[in-house]
Amino acid sequence: MTTSLRTALALLAFAGAAHAATVEIHVTGVTAGKGKVNVAVCDKERFLKQCTYSGSAPARDGDNVIRVTGVPAGTWAVLAYQDENENGELDRNFVGIPKENYGFSREARGKFGPPDFGDAAIEVGSETTVAAVKLR
C-alpha cells in the first residue's frame, strides 16, 4: 500500500469519526436490581423496529446513564425499557400492552399505543447529545 493511499484512508476514517456523535441517555424510573436497562436510538425508518444503535446497563436505582456511540448527526428518537427477565425484548401481555416499564425521549406518549416518531425526536449534533427517558 502506498503512502498516499494510507494517508487517504486515514483521512476518510477521521472524517467519518468526526461526524459521529455520542448520545448520553439518562434513564429514570428504574427498579434497582431487576434485570437491565436497554436503550435504542432510532431513525424514522426503523423507529419501533430494529434500531441501528443500542446499548444496555444493569438496572440500578436513580439515574441510569447509558452512552450510545457512533450515531451520525441528524434526527433520532430514543426508546428505553427495563428488561427485568433479561430476555432481550419488551414483554407484552396477550393484547400487546407492555408488561415491562418503558419510555421515550422527550417523554413522548401515544394515546392508544406508542408515540409518533416526531413526538420523541431529538436532534443529534456532532458531539455528545443528552437525552432523558423516564420509564413508566
Side-chain angles (χ1 to χ4, degrees):
M1 186 180 304
T2 66
T3 303
S4 59
L5 182 56
R6 275 190 223 127
T7 303
L9 290 174
L11 287 172
L12 282 173
F14 176 76
H19 295 293
T22 296
V23 179
E24 182 177 285
I25 304 158
H26 293 254
V27 183
T28 57
V30 175
T31 304
K34 287 191 172 186
K36 61 184 179 177
V37 177
N38 292 334
V39 299
V41 180
C42 312
D43 61 10
K44 187 172 185 174
E45 180 183 331
R46 292 179 188 87
F47 184 59
L48 302 175
K49 299 174 187 158
Q50 290 292 89
C51 301
T52 306
Y53 303 95
S54 62
S56 66
R60 62 181 193 80
D61 201 18
D63 189 13
N64 290 255
V65 180
I66 302 165
R67 290 173 184 82
V68 178
T69 59
V71 180
T75 305
W76 300 86
V78 177
L79 57 102
Y81 70 96
Q82 185 168 355
D83 188 7
E84 292 185 13
N85 59 4
E86 297 189 51
N87 67 350
E89 53 189 60
L90 177 62
D91 294 334
R92 302 169 186 273
N93 67 16
F94 68 97
V95 292
I97 297 171
K99 295 185 338 184
E100 295 173 309
N101 292 334
Y102 67 97
F104 296 89
S105 46
R106 298 183 52 208
E107 292 194 39
R109 297 177 78 174
K111 293 186 191 247
F112 298 102
D116 292 327
F117 175 82
D119 294 334
I122 61 169
E123 289 301 316
V124 173
S126 60
E127 305 227 354
T128 298
T129 299
V130 177
V133 177
K134 182 177 182 180
L135 301 184
R136 303 184 194 286

